[in-house]
Amino acid sequence: MKGIVFTEFLDLVEDKFGIEMVDKIIEQSELDSGGVYTAIGTYKFSEMLQLLENLSNNTGVSTDDLLLVYAEHFFSVLEDSYPGLLATYKDPIEMLSSIEDHIHVEVKKIYPDAELPTFLVEEKSENSLVLLYKSSRAMHHFGLGLMNKTFEHFNSSAEIVLEKIKNDGTEVRFIINKN
Ligand code: HEM
């Protein structure tokens, strides 16, 4: 997992829960990195999982809710870092249906070692989209947060229903209907 995901995560934890919480979750986790991350480095996904689980245990907020809030913050990082990529799109459905064939393809060019999910387009119309998410990382709520913000970015909103295909969350169907 790319370092930027860790640095932005720990910044948000500091913002919301204070620097003591950052120190606490780093101490409670067994991290090869020692909790020191650079934006361009690459670290084990298991480190993110431990940080999330420890934050969840200390705050009582579920890891899904933490990932959702984190993704909403991460979207603004993407807006600032990749304005050109977002400017390619004029419509949220177009953008979300292009994650697999365009957006994450570009991400792979920038970070060849990025670990990305697959988003298969199952159905698409002007105002609706059905996407099948697959990833060993089961970060579907991170996807959900990014999708919410994608609609907001285009001054729009949608109802998004998650249907778990696999119980462990490694395969999830997103049923998206624009309001
Ligand atoms: C992960 C970039 C848009 C869904 C990531 C990662 C990067 C990235 C750098 C981390 C990879 C790693 O740590 O190895 C971008 C950029 C975008 C974009 C630059 C747009 C400009 C989106 C959108 C979605 C999305 C709109 C909506 C669903 C995800 C998910 C992950 C991810 C779910 C977590 C990894 C996983 O589930 O396996 N993306 N992304 N991304 N992205 Fe994107």
Side-chain angles (χ1 to χ4, degrees):
M1 173 159 275
K2 295 308 299 175
I4 190 168
V5 185
F6 288 89
T7 54
E8 289 298 333
F9 176 72
L10 292 177
D11 278 357
L12 186 67
V13 174
E14 183 177 344
D15 251 30
K16 302 264 183 208
F17 301 105
I19 187 76
E20 303 76 19
M21 183 61 84
V22 174
D23 292 342
K24 192 171 178 181
I25 60 173
I26 288 174
E27 245 168 62
Q28 290 171 334
S29 306
E30 278 172 32
L31 309 171
D32 289 348
S33 68
V36 181
Y37 303 101
T38 67
I40 53 160
T42 302
Y43 307 89
K44 282 190 189 153
F45 173 67
S46 60
E47 296 205 1
M48 178 54 70
L49 210 55
Q50 288 188 70
L51 292 168
L52 270 171
E53 275 166 8
N54 284 319
L55 183 62
S56 173
N57 289 337
N58 292 323
T59 60
V61 182
S62 70
T63 52
D64 277 354
D65 282 348
L66 290 170
L67 274 175
L68 179 75
V69 172
Y70 175 41
E72 294 186 348
H73 164 78
F74 197 70
F75 191 85
S76 59
V77 176
L78 297 179
E79 280 180 317
D80 293 344
S81 311
Y82 308 98
L85 203 49
L86 290 173
T88 330
Y89 297 98
K90 292 181 179 57
D91 175 87
I93 301 275
E94 284 306 323
M95 178 166 153
L96 294 177
S97 61
S98 306
I99 300 170
E100 184 68 19
D101 293 340
H102 176 230
I103 296 179
H104 279 170
V105 174
E106 293 303 314
V107 173
K108 254 313 205 209
K109 289 183 195 164
I110 306 167
Y111 306 117
D113 54 358
E115 296 172 300
L116 297 162
T118 63
F119 277 103
L120 188 79
V121 177
E122 289 193 324
E123 281 171 44
K124 181 177 176 233
S125 75
E126 201 185 323
N127 292 311
S128 70
L129 185 66
V130 179
L131 290 177
L132 186 64
Y133 165 90
K134 285 190 201 179
S135 168
S136 59
R137 288 163 294 284
M139 288 176 71
H140 42 83
H141 269 63
F142 188 74
L144 180 62
L146 291 176
M147 288 179 194
N148 286 335
K149 284 289 167 182
T150 300
F151 279 92
E152 222 178 282
H153 176 80
F154 294 100
N155 296 313
S156 177
S157 66
E159 190 205 358
I160 304 176
V161 175
L162 267 74
E163 197 181 279
K164 274 194 185 171
I165 309 293
K166 288 197 178 158
N167 258 336
D168 62 3
T170 56
E171 264 188 63
V172 174
R173 179 172 288 123
F174 287 86
I175 302 156
I176 304 163
N177 280 291
K178 199 170 162 183
N179 291 320

